[in-house]
Amino acid sequence: MILFIAFSETIITILTAGRYIAAQQYTNIALIAVFLMGVFSFFDKIFIALGKTKLNLRVNIIGGFSAIAVMYMAVKIINILGPHGKVVVSLIMVVTAGLLVKKHLKLQQVT
């Protein structure tokens, strides 16, 4: 992922014959979104495997409402970059909620 981001301009230039250089920033954002979706999916599967479906629901609710609030502020205040930026922000919020719940579970000694 880091290598792709570092060389994304060159990769986009090669793949599009130099016609869509502006797509570089969107490609990087989409790549980050795909990575974060994988992390979220990992937490999702762990909670389901542990039989913590209510906990999984709470993580999704917290992450979803947090993402809506952050996206609203991002659009109004900093005019964030397109829909991919919003996906990245929402996935960051859901992954953060998952990490907080994981920490809470660890404190309760749930294995």
Side-chain angles (χ1 to χ4, degrees):
M1 180 170 101
I2 295 171
L3 286 174
F4 184 88
I5 290 174
F7 298 107
S8 63
E9 185 174 350
T10 305
I11 294 169
I12 297 299
T13 301
I14 291 169
L15 292 175
T16 65
R19 292 180 289 188
Y20 300 105
I21 300 299
Q24 174 203 359
Q25 61 186 347
Y26 300 106
T27 304
N28 290 340
I29 292 172
L31 178 69
I32 293 168
V34 169
F35 172 76
L36 290 174
M37 191 63 181
V39 173
F40 167 69
S41 178
F42 175 74
F43 283 119
D44 195 45
K45 302 295 186 259
I46 288 176
F47 292 145
I48 290 172
L50 289 172
K52 302 287 185 181
T53 54
K54 287 184 181 179
L55 189 59
N56 188 26
L57 176 65
R58 289 182 192 139
V59 168
N60 288 328
I61 289 172
I62 292 168
F65 282 126
S66 301
I68 290 169
V70 169
M71 281 191 259
Y72 177 79
M73 290 186 296
V75 169
K76 291 292 184 186
I77 297 170
I78 59 174
N79 198 14
I80 198 164
L81 180 69
H84 290 300
K86 293 174 182 80
V87 169
V88 169
V89 168
S90 65
L91 289 173
I92 287 171
M93 298 307 293
V94 171
V95 168
T96 303
L99 287 171
L100 292 173
V101 169
K102 180 182 174 236
K103 183 178 179 180
H104 177 72
L105 285 175
K106 191 173 184 179
L107 290 174
Q108 291 182 350
Q109 298 295 326
V110 174
T111 58

